[in-house]
Amino acid sequence: MTWLVWVLGAVVIAAAGAGVVALPWWRNRDLRRRTAWSAARAAIDSAGVSRDAADAPLPEAEQLLTRAETIAAAHGGERAAHTAEQHARRADALWQAAARG
């Protein structure tokens, strides 16, 4: 019977150790994902403002913003958020460059 107690004790200690390692990792991963999506949404909003302020339509910038909005609608992971942010920032840069000259 004592061997059963030792085995159960070892299982409990192993589970506690795995929880101590996994919980902060999951929290950090969730924080990175939420931060990336926040940055992507901000970039999409900024590109939308630049689009609204533009004098003439730019098809390439429109396509980039549409891609960014489509990716954001799918609610992917951190990599998708970075991709959406890059598309939105590129569209914003195109509209701002067109407004300057």
Side-chain angles (χ1 to χ4, degrees):
M1 190 67 170
T2 53
W3 65 272
L4 182 61
V5 172
W6 283 102
V7 170
L8 288 175
V11 168
V12 168
I13 289 173
V20 165
V21 171
L23 186 62
W25 182 82
W26 280 329
R27 285 183 179 167
N28 187 31
R29 182 176 145 212
D30 184 54
L31 178 64
R32 284 192 328 260
R33 185 184 55 79
R34 286 186 290 131
T35 303
W37 277 114
S38 177
R41 284 187 207 98
I44 290 169
D45 290 343
S46 179
V49 169
S50 295
R51 177 194 57 204
D52 294 343
D55 294 334
L58 292 173
E60 182 183 358
E62 282 288 342
Q63 289 176 350
L64 287 167
L65 183 57
T66 301
R67 285 185 199 147
E69 290 172 340
T70 302
I71 292 169
H75 298 292
E78 187 178 350
R79 192 179 325 167
H82 288 300
T83 302
E85 181 182 5
Q86 289 172 354
H87 288 320
R89 289 196 188 278
R90 178 71 180 133
D92 191 27
L94 287 172
W95 275 309
Q96 287 183 9
R100 275 179 268 161

